[in-house]
Amino acid sequence: ALCLRDNQLREVPHFAACTALVSVDIANNGTLQVPASLHWVAQLKQLRVVDLRGVHNDVASYWPEAKCNTMRHIANLAKALKRRNKHARVHMSPS
């Protein structure tokens, strides 16, 4: 497991070399943005849980482009993990 919760991360660290990871917790990093695809995360064959709740918290009543991109890449990661393993889970906040 890799726990990076509450670390004020601005981007997802590259942990592709950690091939035995089963769980990654990146939750509550309110300034974290995901400007590019997370396809490399889906390649981790043992990965079952990715927690991305509370990332890119934005107090605006609308979603700026950066937040739309973040949510799109997180949703794409969830789909890729589910295609690989129906028991995989990506936890994310709806807003």
Side-chain angles (χ1 to χ4, degrees), residues 11-43:
E11 59 186 43
V12 177
H14 204 275
F15 46 84
C18 303
T19 58
L21 277 178
V22 174
S23 172
V24 176
D25 183 351
I26 307 175
N28 299 331
N29 285 289
T31 58
L32 184 130
Q33 294 184 24
V34 183
S37 172
L38 293 172
H39 70 277
W40 58 271
V41 177
Q43 301 303 312

Side-chain angles (χ1 to χ4, degrees), residues 10-95:
R10 293 188 176 271
E11 59 186 43
V12 177
H14 204 275
F15 46 84
C18 303
T19 58
L21 277 178
V22 174
S23 172
V24 176
D25 183 351
I26 307 175
N28 299 331
N29 285 289
T31 58
L32 184 130
Q33 294 184 24
V34 183
S37 172
L38 293 172
H39 70 277
W40 58 271
V41 177
Q43 301 303 312
L44 297 170
K45 297 193 184 316
Q46 303 299 316
L47 193 59
R48 299 290 178 265
V49 177
V50 179
D51 192 342
L52 288 160
R53 289 177 283 201
V55 302
H56 201 135
N57 289 338
D58 199 322
V59 296
S61 60
Y62 65 94
W63 280 17
E65 184 178 353
K67 182 159 186 169
C68 290
N69 288 336
T70 294
M71 293 302 135
R72 179 172 43 102
H73 292 307
I74 291 172
N76 287 342
L77 170 63
K79 291 175 194 172
L81 284 174
K82 286 298 254 180
R83 279 193 300 269
R84 198 194 75 234
N85 178 344
K86 66 180 182 176
H87 300 292
R89 297 284 180 259
V90 173
H91 302 288
M92 56 187 166
S93 303
S95 60

